């Protein structure tokens, strides 16, 4: 960090925001293969938390890659930087008292550990959205898996790039044998306990 960058304390703290909001601010990190249902579940979880009066926001590839990370490609180095920036943005959202839901493949364990370190272990809830790759391919309306299998897309997670499943996620759902409603119920039940 630049030695000329000096920390500025402000009068309103995260504790003040938590008190006003009447809920904790956490990062709900949805990880899993493309097509596993991460974004769908993040959207549904946000809807339920928002309906309960919580301050919420979803971060995903659309609102990150089209803005703050437009300068990044999909090389392993740029993917790591993409996740680092998302973690830093999430840290600010948490300080602002917002329950932040992030839906990203984030295939490498070390990257997810980096995210946890940036936002703080106490603020990080890892949600593993598991699905068999055959189911992910079947759901793939954009045809990305087919392009990856034909070699048109390089470094595609699950085909030409690895996915390291979480070893001890706080929450795990399996969208290959659970409906969205069943997965949602599991997540909401565990998450609301953490946010109260």
């Amino acid at each position: 960090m630049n030695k000329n960058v000096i920390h500025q304390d402000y009068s309103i703290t995260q504790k003040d925001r938590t008190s006003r909001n009447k809920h904790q601010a956490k990062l709900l990190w949805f990880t899993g293969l493309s097509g596993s249902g991460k974004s769908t579940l993040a959207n549904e979880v946000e809807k339920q938390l928002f309906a309960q009066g919580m301050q919420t926001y979803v971060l995903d590839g659309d609102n990150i890659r089209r803005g703050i990370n437009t300068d990044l490609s999909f090389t392993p180095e740029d993917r790591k930087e993409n996740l680092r920036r998302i973690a830093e943005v999430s840290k600010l959202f948490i300080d602002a008292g917002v329950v932040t839901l992030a839906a990203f493949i984030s295939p490498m364990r070390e990257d997810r550990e980096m995210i946890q370190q940036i936002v703080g272990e106490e603020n990080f809830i890892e949600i593993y959205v598991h699905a068999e790759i055959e189911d992910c391919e079947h759901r793939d309306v954009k045809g990305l898996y087919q392009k990856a299998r034909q070699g048109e897309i390089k470094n595609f997670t699950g085909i030409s790039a690895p996915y390291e499943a979480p070893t001890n996620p706080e929450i795990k759902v399996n969208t290959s044998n659970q409906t969205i409603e069943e997965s949602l119920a599991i997540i909401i039940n565990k998450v609301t306990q953490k946010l109260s």
Side-chain angles (χ1 to χ4, degrees):
M1 184 178 288
N2 188 317
K3 65 181 179 182
N4 294 321
V5 177
I6 299 167
H7 177 76
Q8 174 67 50
D9 287 318
Y10 290 94
S11 300
I12 307 300
T13 66
Q14 183 181 349
K15 187 176 179 182
D16 296 324
R17 296 180 188 104
T18 298
S19 178
R20 174 181 278 186
N21 291 340
K22 298 181 176 50
H23 66 78
Q24 299 292 319
K26 307 273 186 195
L27 171 59
L28 312 184
W29 190 270
F30 293 76
T31 178
L33 293 173
S34 178
S36 63
K38 298 179 303 300
S39 294
T40 299
L41 283 168
N43 180 52
E44 292 301 320
V45 170
E46 184 190 27
K47 282 165 56 178
Q48 290 210 14
L49 297 180
F50 189 81
Q52 294 175 30
M54 295 190 194
Q55 304 296 317
T56 62
Y57 195 80
V58 174
L59 298 172
D60 67 14
D62 285 341
N63 58 23
I64 291 292
R65 288 277 186 180
R66 291 181 181 177
I68 194 169
N69 288 347
T70 53
D71 60 323
L72 299 178
S73 69
F74 290 90
T75 64
E77 299 78 20
D78 278 5
R79 283 182 173 200
K80 188 176 195 74
E81 175 60 13
N82 180 53
L83 295 174
R84 188 196 69 77
R85 291 183 193 178
I86 294 162
E88 293 291 353
V89 168
S90 298
K91 184 177 178 181
L92 294 173
F93 272 68
I94 291 166
D95 188 52
V98 177
V99 178
T100 308
L101 304 92
F104 294 92
I105 295 171
S106 50
M108 308 309 287
R109 284 189 200 105
E110 70 173 20
D111 291 338
R112 297 191 300 269
E113 288 168 3
M114 169 194 66
I115 294 159
Q116 184 181 43
Q117 288 172 1
I118 290 171
V119 301
E121 186 176 347
E122 70 282 4
N123 296 320
F124 183 80
I125 299 175
E126 186 175 48
I127 302 169
Y128 176 30
V129 183
H130 173 76
E132 300 300 328
I133 193 154
E134 298 79 13
D135 294 320
C136 293
E137 290 192 64
H138 180 70
R139 300 169 184 162
D140 181 23
V141 294
K142 297 176 185 174
L144 299 177
Y145 279 97
Q146 183 178 359
K147 289 179 180 178
R149 289 201 182 277
Q150 294 170 347
E152 296 175 36
I153 300 176
K154 306 295 181 196
N155 298 316
F156 192 84
T157 304
I159 304 296
S160 52
Y163 179 80
E164 297 176 351
T167 52
N168 192 26
E170 203 147 349
I171 302 169
K172 179 181 178 181
V173 294
N174 186 334
T175 60
S176 283
N177 58 31
Q178 294 167 337
T179 65
I180 289 297
E181 292 75 21
E182 289 169 335
S183 297
L184 178 61
I186 291 168
I187 296 168
I188 287 292
N189 180 50
K190 293 188 178 181
V191 161
T192 50
Q193 295 172 29
K194 301 280 184 182
L195 299 176
S196 59

